[in-house]
Amino acid sequence: MSKRLVLVINCGSSSIKFALRVEGEPSPILSGLAERLTTPEGVLRWRAGNERDEMKIADGLHSTAVAGILPLIDRFAKRPLTAVGHRVVHGGEHFTGAYVLDANAVRAIEESIPLAPLHNPANLIGIREAMAVFSKIPHVAIFDTAFHQTMPPHAYRYAVPEVLYSKYGVRRYGFHGTSHHFVANEASRLLGMDVGQGAWLTAHLGNGCSTCAVLNGKSLDTSMGMTPLEGVVMGTRSGDVDPNLPAYLSRTLGWDLAKTDYVLNHESGLLGLSGLSNDMRTLVAARSEGHAGATLAIDVYCYRLARSLAGLAVALPRLDGLVFTGGIGENSPLIREMTVGHLQILGLAIAPERNLTPPGNPAREIQAAGSPAILVIPTDEERQIAEESLALLDFDRIQPVPERD
Ligand code: ADP
């Protein structure tokens, strides 16, 4: 029997990322990005092996982009798709794992829109368009929040009146679950443990950044909260600030909530601190030339990241290893070195020569002798989505969506 094929779709408000994956294979046979959708400059770019091309999506419609993917799949797959796996940002408390999409599940994702007003509507566009085009195969939703549904109440509850939780879902959910899950599994593999075993601290450091404590394949705590603004410093997001800040800005500057929301999400983080850029590469280069803002931004970023990791360590009975992933975690020796420099309390120390990035950037260990493992592991969220989609179909765990009171 030939290996099964999954199309992975990550649909944003103006873009669709897609990848065609063969079961168990580390690389996609086809991948691409449709971007600037909703504008006349819509374009779909793709590559398959050494071949690459692009086509205009002149009407800017998501449906046109999905229809444009169809002939590419026919051409490169050469056999029928088994399933489509969709990334969905927020599953609220409805979804604790992957889920085969039916009308109830779509409704439950819609109900989670108030918790993720920017992301979930865009994810739903992708789901609807793909279900129309690929109407005869199962569509599976993989939620960024689902991996963290194993957090205990003492980790996920905020100290606010109970009714805000029970009636309005005010609690910590966590995000980047697909990535934390993937790298925790890879960490077990790399150290020769059974997959799903081990006590890990994981740091996903991309444009959004979050940390997680994973014990035997389960998330016990994570830095992001009800929304992806909580936690460590990110590209343009502030991470934790005093919860009184919006009230203070309202009283002193007259800022309304929309303005504060925008500033904390889009003008803060590395960009706000440095006054220069949200891009870590730019900041690392500027710091080496003595740029004061870039230097401060990197100092704050690494200290707050280390503080978050040390805080999450209390969720674990021991520490088997710390994992760095995401664009920054995988590629920046400086950020790894400075962060671990604040973590002597956990016995962590880096071997400088192992910390340099080798060609091809393989998954590897970079700790000094005597330190718990420190691992650099390239994340692969699409692979995790494809594998989880197939695992769900294998186990046929189609459960009714639990109702909330
Ligand atoms: P996204 O969250 O959009 O998937 P990525 O995981 O690609 O983002 O991470 C983007 C970040 O990784 C950017 O801040 C970028 O500057 C940073 N990055 C990539 N390569 C390097 C590098 N060699 N050194 C430092 N930062 C890097």
Side-chain angles (χ1 to χ4, degrees), residues 114 182 201 323 404:
F182 179 83
L201 289 173
V323 183
R404 276 178 61 83

Side-chain angles (χ1 to χ4, degrees), residues 61-98:
L61 293 174
H62 284 73
S63 53
T64 309
V66 173
I69 298 171
L70 190 58
L72 294 173
I73 293 185
D74 288 344
R75 183 165 147 209
F76 292 103
K78 300 189 181 85
R79 58 185 186 274
L81 281 179
T82 307
V84 182
H86 295 268
R87 176 186 180 216
V88 181
V89 167
H90 215 310
E93 284 190 327
H94 286 298
F95 297 101
T96 57

Side-chain angles (χ1 to χ4, degrees), residues 184-201:
N185 281 346
E186 290 300 298
S188 320
R189 268 197 202 102
L190 200 59
L191 295 194
M193 303 160 81
D194 287 341
V195 174
Q197 292 301 301
W200 312 106
L201 289 173

Side-chain angles (χ1 to χ4, degrees), residues 206-208 278-281 326-328 331-332:
N207 283 309
N278 64 315
D279 190 287
M280 189 59 93
R281 265 170 303 201
I328 297 171
N331 296 300
S332 178

Side-chain angles (χ1 to χ4, degrees), residues 118-140:
L118 296 179
H119 294 102
N120 275 21
N123 300 155
L124 280 163
I125 293 172
I127 289 171
R128 292 203 176 95
E129 298 298 346
M131 281 178 120
V133 172
F134 305 100
S135 59
K136 298 205 161 49
I137 53 174
H139 290 247
V140 180

